[in-house]
Amino acid sequence: MTEASGDGVKLAEQIAEQIEQRIVDAGWPIGEIIGSEASLIEQFGVSRGVLREAVRLLEHHGTARMRRGPGGGLVVAAPPARAVRRAAALYLRYRRADVQTVVEARRVLELSCVRLVAQRARDPQVTDRLRRILDAEVDATKAAGSTRFLRSFHLELADLSGNSAIGLFAEILMELQSEFVNEARSQPASEEVVTADARASHRAHLAIYNALISGDVERATSVMARHLDAISKWTLEYADRQH
């Protein structure tokens, strides 16, 4: 086996991809040892340097890590969500995604989340989780500070949608939207503005929750649409004022 494939892809990258596919096929058994360094070198027929480069890639992806010492080896790991979100956000920046692009995509995804959550909104576990978020908002709005905590309701809906892809992409878009706002902000908003925004958002979240538990999907979707439109309008206007 040569140390470079005919199509120019490095051998270490190919090995890393093969190991990751093996992990996927096995059902992602976190904590399981794939093999020792020596056994993997023999299995793939490569040098120690090539294998260590493949392991470095796996560790960078968060899919596996090398555990040293007796009984050690390449261990299956759980990839960190934060790294995935950050990489996706950076790629969108590279593709010149602007604020308008982000808020439009976020609107489509979050309205889908509401419809999906509505299908199981009467499940006590679902209502309890949303209720805890709303109670936390009440406590948080009594204190001055950031409105960042208000994302929790949206993130919880995304998680409760039961669709891991929608949940992940919603998080990515929210994070990127916050980046755009932070970059445009020359100074922090006043305490009065923060408090007013927090209370308005809480009222919208509470209305969405009440519509969901009463089974009124159309109202829940309508309120969320207006809420997202208000967030988008504020974000776009704020960004425009700073440029």
Side-chain angles (χ1 to χ4, degrees), residues 20 56-63 78-92 168-169 171-172 175 179:
E20 285 174 337
R56 187 192 67 78
L57 291 170
L58 293 167
E59 291 179 336
H60 178 70
H61 296 162
T63 53
R82 169 64 186 168
V84 176
R85 292 196 303 268
R86 186 59 190 152
L90 287 171
Y91 181 72
L92 287 172
L168 174 62
F169 295 141
E171 289 186 56
I172 291 168
E175 182 167 316
E179 280 188 23

Side-chain angles (χ1 to χ4, degrees), residues 181 183-187 237-243:
V181 171
E183 289 169 7
R185 179 176 289 148
S186 57
Q187 59 184 10
E237 289 178 349
Y238 191 92
D240 287 342
R241 287 199 304 270
Q242 305 305 314
H243 290 88

